Amino acid sequence: MPLPGGELASRPLYFFWICDCSGSMSGQKIQSLNTAIRESIPEMKQVADDNPSGQILVRVLEFSSGAKWRNTQPIPVENFTWTDLVTSGETEMGRAFSMVAEQLKMPPMPERALPPVLVLVTDGRPTDDYKSGLNQIMSLPWGKKAVRIAIGIGGDCDFDVLEEFIGNSEIKPLQANNPEALTRYIKWASTAVVKDVSAPPSQPRGQGSVNVQIGQIPAASTDPDVW
Amino acid sequence: MGQLLKEKQRLNVKNSGTTCEIISFLGGGGQGEVYKGKLDGKEVAVKWYFPDYLNNDPGLRNRLENLIKNGAPNDRFLWPMDIVTSQDDSKSFGYIMELRESRFKSLNDLMKRKVEPKLHVLTIVGFELAFNFRELHTRGLCYRDISFGNVFFDPKNGEVRICDNDNVDVNGAEGAIGGTPKFMAPEIVRGEAKPTTSTDLFSLSVLLFYLLMSSHPLEGHNESQIHSFDLPAQRQLYGLNPIFIYDPQDKSNRPDPNVHTNAIECWPIYPKFLQEMFVRAFTEGLRNPESRIREGEWRKAFVRLRDCVYYCSNCGEENFRDFESTETVTCWSCKKPTKTPMSVVIEKNRIAITRDMKLYSHHIDRDSEFDFSKPQAEVARHPTDPNKWGIKNLSSTAWTATAPDGKELGIDPGRSISIVPGTKINFGNLEGEIIS
């Protein structure tokens, strides 16, 4: 142990994917989303790796007729992998918001953290009461502090709802009309936004350092001598 | 690959009139992307800007051309060498710089403990940072964005490389950048000032504090009380109400033992003279830009700190001997009391004698500048008696010594004198004494 202290103290950053898996997402849309998120993971890991003061934890919520968490606990991004979403049913966004709100309470959220990032991806209109779910989020301190991003796929999306979810006139919902745009937005949300919330970017990491063997401490002589 | 340039794409190199071929993508940032390229058979780095970024920084092209024309202060700066443009993309441009060798690691890596250099290496990194930012500032230039991400070091020898020099400009010039959060001077955070040499000095102090303490000088109790670490919180902590965690007068922002363990562990291991400098930097220097510690002072302090490094007599780990104190140092690693090392006192300098102590020209010659490339003396073992240690003359002139018994001895270049407390060595225009 050549250095006192340890890693720089960091705060957790909870990153939520809130993904629409309703029937209308079937086919190319859901496959594009699966690909886009899967492709963004290595870059998200790089962001985490370059960032000494934030620890990124990922949660995935899928919603259709009802909603469910992919994992029971947040996953550190280093260990995060993506399993393809499958589609069926309605667009119960309100149910999804309620479940996100449950997770934004303290606990399970810690008292000290970076602002959470909520990324909503959908292609449609809520089929349930989204307002009460959204109100639940917005009634919580972490809900208010969260950075909320919304990506609408295609032209059938209800962008008014997405704007309401974002609740910040400076951030507009992103409209992805093709897979390239979706990939770009997903990457932006999972890297640039995360950087903005946690810390500025830096350069690739390195590896281990020198390991100097402990030697003897020079001892005092008694005889003055020149050699 | 990145988004902006393609593999094998050829860029026009403005001044040299040749082309540069893109080899691979290296990384992206807020302003653009960096690629590895090949120019005249040599690998180089190419930074290419996002077209959108150029709208925010209209002075960039001129700034770069001036930097290229005037050249780097020295080899520690990975400086813009030439402008590159593309026939396929007239909306943007970039510049070429030397490629950073892989031996250099970022301070982020140090903060994450992916690299763990020895403490004496950190003292060299601190010296190099102060020395080289001084080189920049004495040319009338201002860096404007000193932070973790822009500084790299070699964990073996402490040599640094300063990157991202495209924000460098004449001090006082208008610029597009404010700095990096946590490193910006309070007056910039509050929106009262723009980056200048003086705000660079604040950022440098923060960087040096991070280097030695792996923690932020203003993150104590007040930080641990913040729930959501967002911009308003940061504005409060670093701008509106900044309080040094070891402010001797205002103790309200001491490190939180549950959070800021690095500061609590690291602060006490450093000698008082260095602690006092950080106190000045983050009390007076926080409030009054004119009171900030200048690079020259940091430079001397890090040289002095390096002279304080010795090894624990129990576990062999590096510690710092505060020669102004008579208290026994407890080793930060094994927690046992350490034996005070012998030292050489030469005027104001006092250098701990360790198995790898070296004396440099600034130690033994009153008129000499810092030059760590040529040691003038080192600790050496007797060739036949391994229990006998001496100080070897590596200089080109003979020294004379007076043993405690009054006996005069000559020490020719290449010869050594035994380490006997009370011995005085005359190096020419300075005299030193070995102290037990």
Side-chain angles (χ1 to χ4, degrees):
Chain A
M1 189 174 66
L3 289 178
E7 266 191 59
L8 190 67
S10 66
R11 284 176 178 249
L13 189 166
Y14 288 84
F15 185 96
F16 293 74
W17 288 117
I18 308 166
C19 299
D20 182 348
C21 294
S22 63
S24 60
M25 283 284 289
S26 301
Q28 198 185 354
K29 284 181 190 166
I30 201 75
Q31 291 315 326
S32 299
L33 179 59
N34 282 325
T35 306
I37 295 185
R38 189 172 276 119
E39 275 186 10
S40 73
I41 295 171
E43 293 188 44
M44 200 175 183
K45 287 181 180 172
Q46 186 65 50
V47 171
D49 206 35
D50 291 340
N51 176 2
S53 45
Q55 181 199 358
I56 304 169
L57 297 149
V58 186
R59 300 224 62 175
V60 183
L61 182 76
E62 48 184 292
F63 65 95
S64 51
S65 300
K68 67 173 184 207
W69 291 106
R70 271 299 177 84
N71 299 90
T72 51
Q73 293 298 319
I75 313 271
V77 69
E78 298 79 17
N79 307 329
F80 182 69
T81 53
W82 187 254
T83 314
D84 278 354
L85 298 166
V86 288
T87 54
S88 73
E90 303 290 312
T91 307
E92 293 186 6
M93 201 182 282
R95 173 80 191 126
F97 289 162
S98 300
M99 287 178 66
V100 169
E102 280 300 312
Q103 296 303 314
L104 290 175
K105 288 179 180 164
M106 285 187 288
M109 276 291 286
E111 291 203 351
R112 297 174 69 253
L114 292 163
V117 177
L118 312 181
V119 183
L120 171 67
V121 190
T122 179
D123 74 331
R125 296 159 189 278
T127 53
D128 64 348
D129 174 16
Y130 74 93
K131 273 192 194 285
S132 69
L134 190 53
N135 288 341
Q136 286 174 46
I137 291 180
M138 296 310 290
S139 69
L140 297 165
W142 283 124
K144 283 196 204 84
K145 288 285 189 186
V147 175
R148 295 176 303 277
I149 305 289
I151 302 173
I153 302 177
D156 297 336
C157 210
D158 188 337
F159 283 93
D160 291 340
V161 173
L162 299 191
E163 274 186 33
E164 217 177 320
F165 168 74
I166 293 169
N168 178 348
S169 56
E170 287 177 19
I171 304 176
K172 293 286 169 210
L174 301 165
Q175 185 171 358
N177 289 328
N178 55 54
E180 289 73 33
L182 183 64
T183 304
R184 202 162 59 242
Y185 295 151
I186 293 286
K187 182 182 159 190
W188 174 78
S190 57
T191 56
V193 173
V194 167
K195 275 184 201 170
D196 286 346
V197 171
S198 55
S202 90
Q203 298 286 313
R205 73 184 201 75
Q207 56 191 15
S209 68
V210 298
N211 195 1
V212 181
Q213 200 184 343
I214 294 172
Q216 274 179 273
I217 295 172
S221 300
T222 46
D223 54 327
D225 183 18
V226 170
W227 70 80
Chain B
M1 285 300 273
Q3 296 174 7
L4 302 174
L5 301 177
K6 293 185 185 70
E7 209 174 314
K8 296 202 171 147
Q9 184 172 346
R10 296 194 84 87
L11 303 173
N12 299 320
V13 184
K14 185 174 168 265
N15 292 335
S16 72
T18 53
T19 60
C20 173
E21 185 183 325
I22 295 301
I23 301 173
S24 58
F25 174 67
L26 292 176
Q31 304 176 337
E33 293 179 338
V34 180
Y35 294 82
K36 189 194 275 186
K38 197 169 246 181
L39 176 69
D40 300 332
K42 192 183 164 221
E43 287 191 340
V44 291
V46 179
K47 179 161 177 179
W48 192 260
Y49 294 100
F50 293 126
D52 288 347
Y53 174 74
L54 297 179
N55 298 332
N56 302 331
D57 191 359
L60 176 61
R61 179 76 181 244
N62 260 345
R63 198 163 70 232
L64 280 174
E65 301 215 351
N66 281 334
L67 294 173
I68 291 163
K69 192 174 75 190
N70 294 323
N74 59 42
D75 67 347
R76 295 325 198 230
F77 292 84
L78 297 183
W79 201 257
M81 290 154 54
D82 211 333
I83 300 274
V84 281
T85 55
S86 165
Q87 283 169 342
D88 312 324
D89 179 7
S90 59
K91 285 187 196 142
S92 190
F93 62 91
Y95 70 88
I96 288 176
M97 64 194 137
E98 210 177 301
L99 199 60
R100 176 166 43 80
E101 295 168 61
S102 59
R103 68 187 169 105
F104 293 101
K105 309 298 178 195
S106 79
L107 282 193
N108 276 338
D109 291 338
L110 176 65
M111 293 306 127
K112 293 194 113 179
R113 292 295 191 262
K114 288 178 191 164
V115 289
E116 294 212 56
K118 302 292 280 182
L119 281 172
H120 80 270
V121 171
L122 295 188
T123 69
I124 300 171
V125 176
F127 169 82
E128 286 241 340
L129 290 172
F131 183 91
N132 290 297
F133 281 113
R134 184 172 182 271
E135 290 289 293
L136 188 81
H137 290 154
T138 53
R139 282 163 174 74
L141 299 172
C142 163
Y143 186 82
R144 306 204 274 208
D145 192 20
I146 296 176
S147 71
F148 284 148
N150 302 337
V151 171
F152 294 78
F153 72 102
D154 183 336
K156 284 190 182 152
N157 62 20
E159 199 178 307
V160 304
R161 288 294 179 271
I162 297 166
C163 305
D164 294 333
N165 291 292
D166 49 353
N167 291 309
V168 172
D169 205 345
V170 175
N171 187 34
E174 282 293 318
I177 197 157
T180 299
K182 297 194 180 206
F183 289 87
M184 282 187 264
E187 64 270 26
I188 299 184
V189 178
R190 292 193 299 265
E192 298 163 4
K194 287 179 181 151
T196 57
T197 301
S198 164
T199 64
D200 269 1
L201 289 179
F202 181 83
S203 309
L204 177 65
S205 302
V206 175
L207 190 69
L208 295 173
F209 192 86
Y210 264 125
L211 176 74
L212 299 184
M213 317 284 176
S214 290
S215 50
H216 192 284
L218 306 176
E219 290 177 11
H221 175 79
N222 294 348
E223 189 271 341
S224 70
Q225 295 306 300
I226 294 167
H227 295 295
S228 178
F229 196 77
D230 47 19
L231 286 174
Q234 293 186 38
R235 194 172 148 77
Q236 191 67 29
L237 204 58
Y238 308 121
L240 299 174
N241 186 30
I243 300 166
F244 182 41
I245 54 175
Y246 287 109
D247 186 321
Q249 259 78 50
D250 183 345
K251 297 182 178 157
S252 66
N253 194 28
R254 287 286 183 266
D256 182 330
N258 295 317
V259 183
H260 310 113
T261 49
N262 282 352
I264 294 168
E265 280 178 43
C266 296
W267 178 256
I269 77 165
Y270 292 100
K272 201 157 177 251
F273 76 86
L274 191 83
Q275 293 179 343
E276 282 170 353
M277 282 184 70
F278 280 122
V279 167
R280 269 172 54 211
F282 300 118
T283 55
E284 292 164 56
L286 208 50
R287 296 181 277 271
N288 180 4
E290 290 308 312
S291 305
R292 287 184 182 146
I293 295 190
R294 308 206 67 86
E295 314 89 330
E297 222 178 325
W298 281 126
R299 200 175 58 158
K300 278 189 197 148
F302 274 89
V303 170
R304 186 172 166 195
L305 185 63
R306 180 175 174 171
D307 291 344
C308 299
V309 174
Y310 73 108
Y311 300 100
C312 169
S313 42
N314 301 300
C315 71
E317 207 59 86
E318 289 178 317
N319 280 264
F320 294 101
R321 178 64 226 180
D322 189 343
F323 287 115
E324 285 175 345
S325 161
T326 50
E327 281 175 39
T328 303
V329 172
T330 300
C331 174
W332 62 265
S333 182
C334 70
K335 315 290 180 206
K336 290 182 187 156
T338 65
K339 201 175 143 195
T340 298
M342 290 182 290
S343 55
V344 186
V345 179
I346 310 168
E347 281 209 330
K348 284 183 194 162
N349 291 316
R350 186 158 174 179
I351 307 106
I353 298 179
T354 66
R355 61 179 181 273
D356 45 23
M357 178 202 80
K358 289 181 173 53
L359 298 179
Y360 295 94
S361 49
H362 72 273
H363 287 125
I364 63 163
D365 178 0
R366 197 191 301 279
D367 307 319
S368 185
E369 294 288 318
F370 294 120
D371 177 5
F372 293 99
S373 65
K374 280 181 258 148
Q376 302 294 305
E378 68 180 7
V379 167
R381 266 183 174 174
H382 193 281
T384 54
D385 181 357
N387 291 320
K388 198 167 181 176
W389 296 83
I391 295 174
K392 187 175 183 179
N393 182 354
L394 300 177
S395 77
S396 54
T397 54
W399 304 333
T400 55
T402 312
D405 60 6
K407 197 171 146 193
E408 297 283 327
L409 301 158
I411 317 160
D412 285 333
R415 307 261 291 166
S416 304
I417 177 144
S418 310
I419 299 174
V420 180
T423 303
K424 291 189 171 118
I425 306 171
N426 190 323
F427 298 105
N429 62 20
L430 284 173
E431 188 177 76
E433 182 174 353
I434 297 170
I435 307 278
S436 63

